[in-house]
Amino acid sequence: MHLITLAYSGTLRDSMKHFFESKRFQTIITIIIIVNSILIGLETSEVIMIKYGSVIDLIDLVILVLFSLEIILKIFVYKLSFFKDPWNIFDFTVIGISLVPAAGSFSIFRALRIVRALRLLKSIPKLRLIIESLVMSLPSIGWIVVLLSIVFYVYSVIGVSLFGELYPEYFGNLGSAFFTLFQIMTLESWSSAIARPIMDGVPFTGVYFVTFILIATYTTLNIFIAIVVNTMNEVALQNLHEEEQHIKDFVSQENEKLKSQLNQIQRQLEKLNNRTQA
Amino acid sequence: MHLITLAYSGTLRDSMKHFFESKRFQTIITIIIIVNSILIGLETSEVIMIKYGSVIDLIDLVILVLFSLEIILKIFVYKLSFFKDPWNIFDFTVIGISLVPAAGSFSIFRALRIVRALRLLKSIPKLRLIIESLVMSLPSIGWIVVLLSIVFYVYSVIGVSLFGELYPEYFGNLGSAFFTLFQIMTLESWSSAIARPIMDGVPFTGVYFVTFILIATYTTLNIFIAIVVNTMNEVALQNLHEEEQHIKDFVSQENEKLKSQLNQIQRQLEKLNNRTQA
Amino acid sequence: MHLITLAYSGTLRDSMKHFFESKRFQTIITIIIIVNSILIGLETSEVIMIKYGSVIDLIDLVILVLFSLEIILKIFVYKLSFFKDPWNIFDFTVIGISLVPAAGSFSIFRALRIVRALRLLKSIPKLRLIIESLVMSLPSIGWIVVLLSIVFYVYSVIGVSLFGELYPEYFGNLGSAFFTLFQIMTLESWSSAIARPIMDGVPFTGVYFVTFILIATYTTLNIFIAIVVNTMNEVALQNLHEEEQHIKDFVSQENEKLKSQLNQIQRQLEKLNNRTQA
Amino acid sequence: MHLITLAYSGTLRDSMKHFFESKRFQTIITIIIIVNSILIGLETSEVIMIKYGSVIDLIDLVILVLFSLEIILKIFVYKLSFFKDPWNIFDFTVIGISLVPAAGSFSIFRALRIVRALRLLKSIPKLRLIIESLVMSLPSIGWIVVLLSIVFYVYSVIGVSLFGELYPEYFGNLGSAFFTLFQIMTLESWSSAIARPIMDGVPFTGVYFVTFILIATYTTLNIFIAIVVNTMNEVALQNLHEEEQHIKDFVSQENEKLKSQLNQIQRQLEKLNNRTQA
């Protein structure tokens, strides 16, 4: 496939590919991202905005154009294979989100421009590695999250049915019940603000909160354990395999000595045999 | 025993058993559980209840009849051995709880219908496995829980004796003291809402709360460690056994070479021996 | 030494020793402790106290006399070696604390009678093991606790100097500062109740709280890690030693075969040698 | 280099070096630090200050002079190599901070005198070891901290943009947003005091807080796991290497026996060979 692309994309595309993958280009992009992130951060200060607002907005626009150009050129160069790398999709999404405020003027979209700073996660190799390993360990906890979701759903429905009318702030509908249960799972004010006031109104509700906490924390504990065991296991397995190899090497090397001695014996025997035959 | 049941249960029971254990039946049941769970969730919305309440109630009734039928038929097919599988007892209990609101009209029982969603934990094999492993690791923490209970009991009695009269909300009786200590163990508002107000009224009580927190968190920490060590240990042991087997295999394979060489020597010696005898 | 004690202590002391160490005696004591604990728990209920207060007090007194007798007899039997077992000192202290309220009438001492329930920790072998292992893992964290104490001391002194005058409730003196820092370490209301109000009065104090939290949680994290690593290590070492032994056994058993084959060769050679000599 | 210093520094410098490195000197310094720390602690009590304030201040001054002298003499003795040991830089900084309040009279600097107590971390060898191992495990978490900082920065900027005007206390500027996010990361009052009030004013903000908590706790969890795995790994590797050595030793010792048997066989063969030759 590489040969085919070469054939009809010509020299320009090749040299651009070379440029995009050069260390120098990576460094420039990283610096631009950092500068851009700092500028967007400065915009949160009103004093600075009044003084330098227009300059910062201009630089921001230039950088956004540069980033957009980078993506467009990359798509031109790598074509559809551009979208095969999850990191490229990440870049594409981040720039896409940044382009929205250029069009509209909703403060929420303006706020989202800062997600461009997340491009650093891709540009700095060490961070990229950490992100990749964090994402990699997600599947091992996937089913526990499903389990936790079912527990959340069941407790939400019970919560809305029992406390929904009296405490709409916490259990008005499934959405607020989910949020409340998330708060309870983090143990934040679960008793002083939620459980105790409700227990005054509805008897025997202590059971609801205590069982939820026990189940939720025990389950999240197991999410945690799953990750620890997974990570440790990989490291431990590697160590074990190395040790295994060392022992094997040692055994075969020791046996090599025995073999050479046996060979000597065989030669001696052959000599003896030849002599007796003669 | 299998042969005997076959003998007097006839073909109907057999084909039903076959049907119950088929992948297709499992999938249908799983889908019904999911549909049912969503419907019960929808019932928490008043708007939906006003519009579609009667339809949802009807479908819910049909599904409950289906589930009850499933259990009844399974008991007919598997007889008493049905109750030997803990998961069947789980199903039986869940459906039993769901049947209560059909009779009465207490909102608490109506709320409990959602426990049917928990049948998913049995229907989805991955979840089933996780639940089983979670339950399996419970015995390893059993005695630490007994220890924690004794600590809770002792601190409850002391709490009621010392603070019961002045702070009945937190230490009015053993029940509320248990709940308060549970709240303190989760560290929720233990100082701002409980310890500090009480310390103003009763001097030297800081010791009560601080020692309880130290003991309770140290003990729960050890519950946690017990689970981690148990889980890691199983994995590590398996790895070690595999490594052991690899080394053993390698050693015996290496020695096989030595043996074959020794065999050659023996044959040479025999030849020599024969010749000298001749 | 055992023979010497036998010599001058006579048959009575021996048979009592035998009785104290019998399974039956242990069970009786355990049951009495449980009954006693329940009774002291019942005393927290006013209703029960009014009705059965005198009966419960009588039983309590009888049990206390029994326990005291047990200790006295044990000291008579085991003499000074009684105090060599930390568990005996534990029993002695627990009964000692219980005897105080019999004399005075301070409610605090009355409350402390429940510590007798802690004797269960000694009577039930499983709990005894857990307690022993919990206590055993304390030394491994000893020095980290010293380190944490120094951190607490330094932050307490700084806290009293900076905030003592304005916020005497939290930092009035070293004692209250210690309690406040303990509360902050548990992260309970550290910001909403303590840091934010103080930050309004004294600028740049966010650094004080944030650094303390980072240092304290990082250090306690390492207490935790020390225990996990210690526990895991013991288990892992045992597994490794077993594996080592298995491999060694296998190697020596394999080599035994080689040796026996070598022995055969030697015998053949000897035969050959003898024949050529002849 | 050592010889050269000897040459022109003379006997005085040498004997001082000897003195500084003696166990006796270490002990004296440790005792002085402890005494000094207790005195500074006593100064937090007004009652004691009124009675003994002048005496304590005098002793404090004497100790400060002693400490300063120690540093000056050490710099004289070790010259620039004094600053090569991080612990010396630590001492130098601690004494430096202590010298400021002697000049000015700001209470904040007066409060900082207690940092001298931190010199204990250097004087007590066990603590020194723990500190060193704590610092050593920092690099393994360095990049995760960078990652966490980026997450903090992005959420701070979004927070200021969205909630800055309405909730200046929590999100008035980047600094307060950082502090608020730190508070949320510790889960303290994140919902009852921050998220719920803001959610009333700005819709869909639950997502902001919940995603931040999930990302921040998942990332800190991985900081924790990194440390555990690192520490365990070191211990495990050492054990594995020991086991490896044991097995190797055993194998070579077993093979030694085989070799000696083979040597015997070779000698027998040689004898046989010689005889047949003769």
Side-chain angles (χ1 to χ4, degrees):
Chain A
M1 205 205 79
H2 192 249
L3 277 168
I4 297 165
T5 11
L6 255 180
Y8 73 92
S9 68
T11 337
L12 174 68
R13 210 166 276 172
D14 274 355
S15 58
M16 279 174 71
K17 207 180 260 182
H18 197 255
F19 175 63
F20 284 151
E21 280 152 17
S22 69
K23 185 126 201 173
R24 208 173 147 194
F25 176 74
Q26 302 287 349
T27 315
I28 293 169
I29 287 287
T30 307
I31 291 167
I32 296 179
I33 297 169
I34 293 172
V35 168
N36 195 199
S37 307
I38 293 170
L39 286 180
I40 300 175
L42 288 177
E43 289 191 22
T44 58
S45 154
E46 258 177 74
V47 185
I48 291 172
M49 270 310 270
I50 290 164
K51 265 195 167 166
Y52 310 103
S54 50
V55 184
I56 291 175
D57 273 345
L58 190 74
I59 302 174
D60 192 65
L61 192 68
V62 171
I63 290 173
L64 186 57
V65 169
L66 280 176
F67 282 170
S68 308
L69 226 93
E70 186 206 346
I71 298 277
I72 291 167
L73 287 176
K74 273 191 176 164
I75 294 175
F76 166 74
V77 171
Y78 296 100
K79 302 213 161 134
L80 280 177
S81 71
F82 173 84
F83 292 102
K84 274 176 191 160
D85 182 353
W87 278 113
N88 283 336
I89 298 171
F90 173 79
D91 264 5
F92 188 79
T93 317
V94 161
I95 299 300
I97 292 172
S98 299
L99 282 170
V100 180
S105 65
F106 300 107
S107 74
I108 175 123
F109 288 113
R110 199 169 164 79
L112 284 177
R113 284 180 316 149
I114 188 62
V115 294
R116 269 184 252 163
L118 294 177
R119 290 196 68 199
L120 274 180
L121 305 183
K122 185 203 164 192
S123 313
I124 302 174
K126 272 277 186 181
L127 291 180
R128 200 169 171 163
L129 259 170
I130 290 174
I131 295 286
E132 279 167 4
S133 86
L134 288 185
V135 170
M136 292 297 236
S137 66
L138 281 178
S140 71
I141 63 170
W143 282 103
I144 304 189
V145 171
V146 172
L147 170 60
L148 204 57
S149 306
I150 294 174
V151 171
F152 259 75
Y153 186 69
V154 169
Y155 271 89
S156 289
V157 172
I158 295 178
V160 174
S161 309
L162 293 185
F163 320 128
E165 267 170 72
L166 285 161
Y167 305 91
E169 194 197 343
Y170 294 125
F171 292 100
N173 53 54
L174 284 184
S176 61
F178 253 82
F179 188 83
T180 301
L181 289 177
F182 181 75
Q183 176 181 345
I184 293 173
M185 191 174 72
T186 65
L187 301 175
E188 200 272 291
S189 300
W190 74 266
S191 177
S192 59
I194 303 174
R196 283 188 186 277
I198 291 180
M199 281 165 76
D200 285 345
V202 189
F204 293 109
T205 52
V207 178
Y208 175 83
F209 294 104
V210 171
T211 56
F212 177 74
I213 287 174
L214 290 178
I215 293 171
T217 51
Y218 187 62
T219 313
T220 46
L221 177 67
N222 277 278
I223 288 180
F224 168 78
I225 291 171
I227 302 176
V228 173
V229 172
N230 249 35
T231 317
M232 297 267 330
N233 202 20
E234 271 171 45
V235 180
L237 257 183
Q238 208 184 315
N239 291 340
L240 266 186
H241 286 162
E242 271 171 30
E243 193 218 9
E244 191 187 312
Q245 202 49 52
H246 290 166
I247 292 179
K248 279 180 179 174
D249 289 354
F250 184 78
V251 165
S252 73
Q253 169 197 328
E254 277 289 301
N255 282 9
E256 216 51 60
K257 291 186 207 154
L258 291 178
K259 267 181 234 163
S260 81
Q261 212 169 357
L262 284 174
N263 282 337
Q264 283 181 18
I265 291 177
Q266 278 190 303
R267 272 197 301 278
Q268 283 182 301
L269 269 176
E270 233 149 88
K271 228 162 66 183
L272 200 70
N273 212 359
N274 286 341
R275 203 168 309 139
T276 51
Q277 230 168 355
Chain B
M1 205 205 82
H2 192 249
L3 278 167
I4 297 163
T5 11
L6 256 179
Y8 73 91
S9 68
T11 339
L12 174 67
R13 211 166 275 172
D14 275 353
S15 59
M16 278 174 73
K17 207 180 263 182
H18 198 257
F19 175 63
F20 283 151
E21 280 152 17
S22 69
K23 185 129 201 171
R24 209 171 146 196
F25 177 73
Q26 301 288 349
T27 316
I28 293 169
I29 287 287
T30 307
I31 291 167
I32 296 179
I33 297 169
I34 293 173
V35 168
N36 195 200
S37 306
I38 293 170
L39 287 179
I40 300 176
L42 288 176
E43 288 192 22
T44 59
S45 154
E46 260 178 73
V47 185
I48 291 171
M49 270 311 270
I50 290 164
K51 264 194 168 167
Y52 310 102
S54 51
V55 184
I56 291 175
D57 273 345
L58 189 73
I59 301 174
D60 192 65
L61 192 68
V62 171
I63 291 173
L64 186 57
V65 169
L66 280 176
F67 282 169
S68 308
L69 226 94
E70 187 206 345
I71 298 277
I72 292 166
L73 286 176
K74 274 192 175 164
I75 294 175
F76 166 73
V77 170
Y78 297 99
K79 302 215 163 130
L80 279 177
S81 71
F82 173 84
F83 292 101
K84 274 175 193 161
D85 182 354
W87 279 112
N88 284 337
I89 298 172
F90 174 78
D91 265 5
F92 189 79
T93 318
V94 161
I95 299 300
I97 292 172
S98 300
L99 282 170
V100 180
S105 65
F106 301 106
S107 73
I108 176 124
F109 288 113
R110 198 169 165 79
L112 284 177
R113 283 180 316 150
I114 188 62
V115 293
R116 270 185 251 163
L118 293 177
R119 290 196 68 200
L120 274 180
L121 307 184
K122 186 203 164 192
S123 313
I124 302 175
K126 273 276 185 181
L127 291 181
R128 201 171 169 163
L129 258 171
I130 291 174
I131 295 285
E132 279 167 3
S133 87
L134 288 185
V135 170
M136 292 297 237
S137 65
L138 281 179
S140 71
I141 63 169
W143 282 103
I144 304 189
V145 170
V146 171
L147 170 60
L148 204 57
S149 306
I150 294 174
V151 171
F152 259 75
Y153 186 68
V154 169
Y155 272 90
S156 290
V157 173
I158 295 177
V160 174
S161 309
L162 293 185
F163 321 126
E165 265 169 74
L166 284 161
Y167 306 91
E169 193 197 343
Y170 293 124
F171 292 100
N173 54 54
L174 283 186
S176 61
F178 253 82
F179 188 83
T180 301
L181 289 177
F182 182 74
Q183 176 181 345
I184 292 173
M185 192 174 72
T186 65
L187 301 176
E188 201 272 292
S189 300
W190 74 266
S191 176
S192 59
I194 304 173
R196 282 186 187 278
I198 291 180
M199 279 164 78
D200 286 345
V202 188
F204 294 109
T205 52
V207 178
Y208 175 84
F209 295 105
V210 172
T211 56
F212 177 75
I213 286 174
L214 290 178
I215 293 171
T217 52
Y218 188 63
T219 312
T220 46
L221 177 67
N222 277 278
I223 288 181
F224 168 78
I225 291 171
I227 302 176
V228 173
V229 172
N230 249 35
T231 317
M232 296 269 330
N233 202 22
E234 271 170 45
V235 179
L237 257 184
Q238 207 184 317
N239 289 340
L240 265 186
H241 287 162
E242 271 172 30
E243 193 219 9
E244 190 187 312
Q245 203 49 52
H246 289 166
I247 292 178
K248 280 181 178 174
D249 290 354
F250 184 79
V251 165
S252 74
Q253 168 197 328
E254 277 290 299
N255 282 9
E256 216 50 60
K257 289 187 209 154
L258 290 179
K259 268 181 233 161
S260 81
Q261 212 169 357
L262 284 174
N263 282 337
Q264 282 182 18
I265 292 176
Q266 279 192 303
R267 271 197 301 279
Q268 283 181 299
L269 270 176
E270 231 148 89
K271 228 161 67 181
L272 200 69
N273 212 358
N274 286 340
R275 203 169 307 140
T276 52
Q277 229 167 357
Chain C
M1 204 202 84
H2 192 247
L3 278 167
I4 297 165
T5 10
L6 255 178
Y8 73 92
S9 69
T11 338
L12 174 66
R13 211 166 273 174
D14 276 352
S15 58
M16 279 175 73
K17 207 180 260 183
H18 197 256
F19 174 63
F20 284 150
E21 280 153 16
S22 69
K23 186 128 199 170
R24 207 173 148 196
F25 176 73
Q26 302 286 350
T27 315
I28 293 169
I29 287 286
T30 307
I31 291 167
I32 296 179
I33 297 170
I34 293 172
V35 168
N36 195 199
S37 305
I38 293 169
L39 286 179
I40 300 176
L42 288 176
E43 289 192 22
T44 60
S45 154
E46 260 178 75
V47 186
I48 291 171
M49 269 311 270
I50 289 164
K51 264 194 168 168
Y52 309 103
S54 51
V55 184
I56 291 175
D57 273 345
L58 191 73
I59 301 174
D60 192 65
L61 192 69
V62 171
I63 290 173
L64 185 57
V65 169
L66 280 176
F67 282 168
S68 309
L69 226 93
E70 187 205 347
I71 298 277
I72 291 165
L73 287 176
K74 274 192 175 164
I75 293 174
F76 166 73
V77 171
Y78 296 100
K79 301 213 163 130
L80 279 178
S81 72
F82 172 84
F83 292 102
K84 275 177 192 158
D85 181 355
W87 279 111
N88 284 337
I89 298 172
F90 173 79
D91 265 5
F92 189 79
T93 318
V94 161
I95 299 300
I97 292 172
S98 300
L99 282 171
V100 180
S105 64
F106 301 106
S107 73
I108 177 123
F109 288 113
R110 198 170 165 79
L112 284 177
R113 283 181 315 150
I114 189 62
V115 293
R116 270 184 251 164
L118 294 176
R119 290 197 68 200
L120 274 180
L121 306 183
K122 185 203 163 190
S123 313
I124 303 175
K126 274 276 186 182
L127 291 180
R128 200 170 171 164
L129 258 171
I130 290 174
I131 295 286
E132 279 167 3
S133 86
L134 288 185
V135 170
M136 292 295 236
S137 65
L138 280 178
S140 72
I141 63 170
W143 282 102
I144 304 189
V145 171
V146 171
L147 170 59
L148 205 57
S149 307
I150 294 174
V151 171
F152 259 75
Y153 185 68
V154 169
Y155 271 90
S156 289
V157 172
I158 295 177
V160 174
S161 309
L162 294 184
F163 321 127
E165 266 170 73
L166 284 161
Y167 305 92
E169 195 197 342
Y170 293 125
F171 291 100
N173 53 54
L174 283 186
S176 61
F178 252 83
F179 188 83
T180 301
L181 289 177
F182 182 75
Q183 176 181 345
I184 292 173
M185 193 174 71
T186 66
L187 300 176
E188 200 271 290
S189 300
W190 73 266
S191 177
S192 59
I194 303 173
R196 283 187 187 277
I198 291 180
M199 280 164 77
D200 285 345
V202 189
F204 294 109
T205 51
V207 177
Y208 175 85
F209 295 104
V210 172
T211 55
F212 177 74
I213 287 174
L214 290 178
I215 294 171
T217 51
Y218 187 63
T219 312
T220 47
L221 177 68
N222 277 278
I223 288 180
F224 168 77
I225 291 172
I227 303 175
V228 173
V229 172
N230 249 35
T231 318
M232 296 269 329
N233 202 21
E234 270 170 46
V235 180
L237 257 183
Q238 208 183 318
N239 290 341
L240 266 186
H241 287 163
E242 271 171 30
E243 193 219 9
E244 191 186 311
Q245 203 49 52
H246 290 166
I247 292 178
K248 279 182 179 173
D249 289 353
F250 184 79
V251 166
S252 74
Q253 168 197 328
E254 277 289 300
N255 282 11
E256 217 50 62
K257 290 186 207 155
L258 290 178
K259 268 180 234 162
S260 81
Q261 211 169 356
L262 284 174
N263 282 337
Q264 281 182 18
I265 291 177
Q266 279 191 303
R267 272 198 299 279
Q268 283 182 300
L269 270 176
E270 232 148 88
K271 227 162 68 183
L272 200 69
N273 213 359
N274 287 339
R275 204 169 306 139
T276 51
Q277 228 168 357
Chain D
M1 204 202 82
H2 192 249
L3 278 168
I4 297 165
T5 11
L6 256 178
Y8 73 91
S9 68
T11 338
L12 174 67
R13 210 166 275 173
D14 275 354
S15 59
M16 278 174 73
K17 208 179 260 182
H18 197 255
F19 175 63
F20 283 151
E21 280 153 16
S22 69
K23 186 128 200 172
R24 207 172 149 196
F25 176 73
Q26 303 287 348
T27 314
I28 293 169
I29 287 286
T30 307
I31 291 167
I32 296 179
I33 297 170
I34 293 172
V35 168
N36 194 200
S37 306
I38 293 169
L39 287 180
I40 300 175
L42 288 176
E43 289 191 22
T44 60
S45 154
E46 258 177 75
V47 185
I48 291 172
M49 269 310 271
I50 290 163
K51 265 195 168 165
Y52 310 102
S54 51
V55 184
I56 291 175
D57 274 345
L58 190 73
I59 302 174
D60 192 65
L61 192 68
V62 170
I63 290 173
L64 185 58
V65 169
L66 279 177
F67 283 169
S68 309
L69 226 93
E70 186 205 346
I71 299 277
I72 291 167
L73 286 176
K74 275 191 175 164
I75 294 175
F76 166 74
V77 170
Y78 297 101
K79 299 208 164 138
L80 280 177
S81 71
F82 173 84
F83 292 102
K84 274 177 192 159
D85 181 353
W87 279 112
N88 283 337
I89 298 172
F90 173 79
D91 265 5
F92 189 80
T93 317
V94 161
I95 299 301
I97 292 172
S98 301
L99 282 171
V100 181
S105 66
F106 301 106
S107 73
I108 176 124
F109 288 112
R110 200 171 163 78
L112 284 177
R113 284 180 316 150
I114 188 63
V115 293
R116 270 184 250 162
L118 294 177
R119 291 195 68 198
L120 274 180
L121 307 183
K122 185 202 163 191
S123 314
I124 302 175
K126 273 278 187 182
L127 291 180
R128 200 170 170 163
L129 258 172
I130 291 174
I131 296 285
E132 279 167 3
S133 86
L134 288 185
V135 170
M136 292 296 237
S137 65
L138 281 178
S140 72
I141 63 170
W143 283 103
I144 304 189
V145 170
V146 172
L147 170 60
L148 205 57
S149 306
I150 294 174
V151 171
F152 260 75
Y153 186 68
V154 169
Y155 271 90
S156 289
V157 172
I158 295 178
V160 174
S161 309
L162 293 185
F163 320 128
E165 267 170 72
L166 285 161
Y167 305 91
E169 194 197 342
Y170 293 125
F171 291 100
N173 52 55
L174 283 184
S176 61
F178 252 83
F179 188 83
T180 301
L181 289 177
F182 182 75
Q183 177 181 345
I184 292 173
M185 192 174 72
T186 65
L187 300 176
E188 199 271 291
S189 300
W190 74 266
S191 177
S192 59
I194 303 173
R196 284 188 187 277
I198 290 180
M199 280 164 77
D200 286 345
V202 190
F204 293 109
T205 52
V207 178
Y208 175 84
F209 295 104
V210 172
T211 55
F212 177 74
I213 287 174
L214 290 178
I215 293 171
T217 51
Y218 187 62
T219 312
T220 46
L221 177 67
N222 276 278
I223 288 179
F224 167 78
I225 291 172
I227 302 175
V228 173
V229 172
N230 250 34
T231 317
M232 296 269 329
N233 202 21
E234 270 170 46
V235 180
L237 258 183
Q238 208 184 316
N239 291 340
L240 266 186
H241 287 162
E242 271 171 31
E243 194 218 10
E244 191 187 311
Q245 202 49 52
H246 290 167
I247 292 178
K248 279 180 179 175
D249 289 353
F250 184 78
V251 166
S252 72
Q253 169 197 329
E254 277 291 299
N255 282 10
E256 218 49 61
K257 289 186 207 154
L258 290 178
K259 266 181 236 164
S260 81
Q261 212 167 356
L262 283 174
N263 282 338
Q264 282 182 18
I265 291 177
Q266 278 190 303
R267 271 196 301 279
Q268 283 183 299
L269 270 176
E270 233 149 87
K271 228 164 65 183
L272 199 69
N273 212 358
N274 287 340
R275 204 169 304 138
T276 51
Q277 230 170 353

